[in-house]
Amino acid sequence: SVTGAMVAGIIDQAKSLAMRRDLAKEGDPEGVNLKDLQVSIMNHYIQHSEMNSSFDLDDFCDTLGFSKESAELEKVPVSK
């Protein structure tokens, strides 16, 4: 799941990438572009891919009233 904090972090990182790029070149600033967002999303995913997701699964199962063991969880590879 994606939280508002994650989205804010992705946007902040994309803005930083754009700012560094625009400061390094001469001329009119380009601002945030699609590539900045894509790089930021991938960086965010890589940084958080090692996090333990079992806590969220526990909460989800408790909320719906079934056991964690009955939920099938499969990691899906992401191409880079």
Side-chain angles (χ1 to χ4, degrees):
S1 71
V2 177
T3 66
M6 291 171 140
V7 173
I10 290 168
I11 298 301
D12 284 344
Q13 186 178 46
K15 288 188 319 187
S16 293
L17 291 169
M19 195 178 320
R20 276 188 237 125
R21 183 191 60 249
D22 286 346
L23 289 172
K25 69 176 190 168
E26 305 242 349
D28 293 330
E30 183 180 332
V32 176
N33 61 30
L34 182 59
K35 180 74 173 171
D36 297 324
L37 287 170
Q38 291 170 331
V39 168
S40 181
I41 289 168
M42 185 53 71
N43 287 342
H44 192 80
Y45 173 79
I46 290 168
Q47 290 169 359
H48 293 88
S49 65
E50 298 299 319
M51 292 177 67
N52 182 357
S53 61
S54 65
F55 180 76
D56 291 334
L57 181 60
D58 290 338
D59 283 348
F60 179 76
C61 291
D62 287 345
T63 300
L64 295 178
F66 59 87
S67 70
K68 181 175 134 182
E69 291 74 29
S70 67
E72 293 185 28
L73 189 62
E74 179 182 344
K75 286 191 174 192
V76 178
V78 174
S79 61
K80 295 178 185 178

